Amino acid sequence: MTRTVNDHGREKTADRLLKSSANKFYDPEVDIDWAAPLPAGKPFQPEHRSSLYGTRLWDRLTPEQRLELGKHELASVASNGIFFEVLLMQLLLKELYNGDPTTRHVQYALTEIADECRHSTMFARSVERAGAPAYGPVKIVHRLGKLLPVIGYGPALYGSILVAEEILDRIQRESMADENIQPLVRMVNRIHVLEEARHVTFAREEVTRRMAELGKAELIYQRWLIAAVSFAITRSLINPRVYRAIGLDPREAWETAMHNPHWHETIRWSGERIMAFLDDAGLVGRPGMYWWRKSFLLGAR
Ligand SMILES: [Fe+2]
Ligand SMILES: [Fe+2]
């Protein structure tokens, strides 16, 4: 793949993002009061975003079980956030490995790695503080994740990052605005949303630029890759082990969640913005449609 590292537009964007990063960034170590008590009875996520919400299984849960499930689902999403960020950091390191460190583009990649390092620490602290396990992805996804930095390149790779970032962004925006949610969670989400806006700008422009450089055969591979990775992202958010925390059979509860139209709608809603962008960019199409449909990101279309 040919790349023009000194691309003017790319350098201009990176320069602007570098300035913005210097002006506004958070250090979760200082900016979050980790010792503050967690008010009892306040949820860790909006109830209607639970994977079981709206099912008969949900109806049978006590208010305490619902609260506890929300805490474990949040821990699953946050620890998978770390998993996604680790993969993203590897991709950004590749930009440095292959690129010219005197360009603003590569310097911004380094800055974004620094952001993600702080985010992953912040997510880890929040899971630890909530007192839930850092579930992360299931084994198979954890293993396949190792392949991604090797087989992934081009617009699909940046596009996959956007899928992970923008899905989390939508979920976090909703809960940071909800006064009923645990203050610690709201603060973590607020910090993440503010810093992610720069990453989204960076990755969206990379998708557009790299689409213009693609050949026809590559496009087929790129469409397949982004669809398969996006499927893995949406399936990973909730680790089936969370259900065990409230005494449910993980297999049965997971099956229920995967057939839950409310959960499908939550996924569709969380990916609404990014799917419109990827569709416009030409990344949503054959041979990826099988995985897109299974990901729930397309909704009922
Ligand atoms: Fe992040
Ligand atoms: Fe990010």
Side-chain angles (χ1 to χ4, degrees):
M1 190 179 68
T2 51
R3 275 196 308 146
T4 45
V5 180
N6 287 318
D7 179 276
H8 183 64
R10 175 182 273 155
E11 284 297 90
K12 244 177 97 178
T13 300
D15 191 59
R16 184 165 55 80
L17 294 173
L18 275 165
K19 288 189 179 112
S20 156
S21 311
N23 278 333
K24 195 115 197 103
F25 72 96
Y26 292 87
D27 181 352
E29 206 60 54
V30 210
D31 296 320
I32 294 184
D33 180 6
W34 295 102
L38 300 173
K42 273 195 180 286
F44 287 76
Q45 68 173 10
E47 277 205 340
H48 66 281
R49 294 299 170 206
S50 170
S51 59
L52 294 181
Y53 181 82
T55 64
R56 255 181 262 159
L57 199 51
W58 177 263
D59 293 339
R60 292 209 301 267
L61 298 178
T62 64
E64 291 75 27
Q65 278 178 309
R66 290 176 182 176
L67 215 59
E68 187 68 9
L69 178 61
K71 182 167 94 180
H72 286 263
E73 288 189 325
L74 178 96
S76 178
V77 171
S79 54
N80 275 295
I82 298 174
F83 174 66
F84 303 150
E85 287 184 339
V86 166
L87 290 172
L88 162 61
M89 286 190 261
Q90 291 180 52
L91 159 76
L92 293 170
L93 276 170
K94 255 167 78 172
E95 297 283 306
L96 175 65
Y97 194 90
N98 298 320
D100 176 354
T102 65
T103 58
R104 288 285 178 273
H105 174 74
V106 169
Q107 289 161 13
Y108 182 71
L110 274 169
T111 304
E112 188 167 318
I113 294 168
D115 286 350
E116 301 297 14
C117 277
R118 294 192 310 276
H119 295 170
S120 287
T121 311
M122 175 171 76
F123 289 149
R125 279 292 285 274
S126 67
V127 173
E128 182 195 342
R129 186 71 184 90
Y135 291 99
V138 294
K139 248 191 205 143
I140 175 78
V141 176
H142 188 257
R143 282 202 195 128
L144 287 174
K146 281 189 204 164
L147 278 178
L148 192 63
V150 185
I151 64 163
Y153 72 92
L157 196 48
Y158 273 98
S160 308
I161 287 164
L162 280 167
V163 169
E165 287 185 330
E166 296 207 24
I167 283 180
L168 283 184
D169 189 73
R170 197 121 206 232
I171 294 171
Q172 291 177 332
R173 273 175 199 272
E174 183 185 45
S175 106
M176 80 185 201
D178 186 339
E179 286 175 8
N180 196 30
I181 302 296
Q182 288 280 347
L184 178 79
V185 175
R186 294 181 67 201
M187 188 60 189
V188 165
N189 290 346
R190 190 173 303 126
I191 289 180
H192 200 241
V193 161
L194 276 163
E195 296 201 340
E196 284 299 316
R198 293 191 291 261
H199 302 179
V200 167
T201 304
F202 183 72
R204 280 192 176 213
E205 287 198 14
E206 284 303 310
V207 167
T208 308
R209 261 183 221 111
R210 288 171 195 227
M211 279 304 282
E213 296 165 349
L214 274 191
K216 218 174 176 186
E218 276 182 312
L219 180 62
I220 292 171
Y221 174 69
Q222 293 285 317
R223 282 179 172 168
W224 172 81
L225 181 69
I226 189 168
V229 174
S230 300
F231 165 75
I233 291 170
T234 57
R235 277 299 186 283
S236 295
L237 290 174
I238 301 299
N239 186 313
R241 286 197 293 132
V242 300
Y243 305 115
R244 204 174 280 153
I246 55 162
L248 295 179
D249 173 46
R251 210 173 275 246
E252 190 198 328
W254 171 254
E255 278 301 306
T256 304
M258 288 310 107
H259 290 96
N260 178 10
H262 283 274
W263 178 244
H264 298 180
E265 173 52 21
T266 283
I267 298 288
R268 189 210 57 80
W269 160 84
S270 69
E272 196 171 40
R273 273 189 59 215
I274 183 57
M275 286 309 292
F277 171 78
L278 294 175
D279 210 0
D280 275 356
L283 272 172
V284 183
R286 282 194 195 171
M289 297 317 286
Y290 169 79
W291 293 112
W292 283 124
R293 266 190 296 275
K294 271 178 80 101
S295 75
F296 308 140
L297 284 163
L298 295 180
R301 73 165 140 145

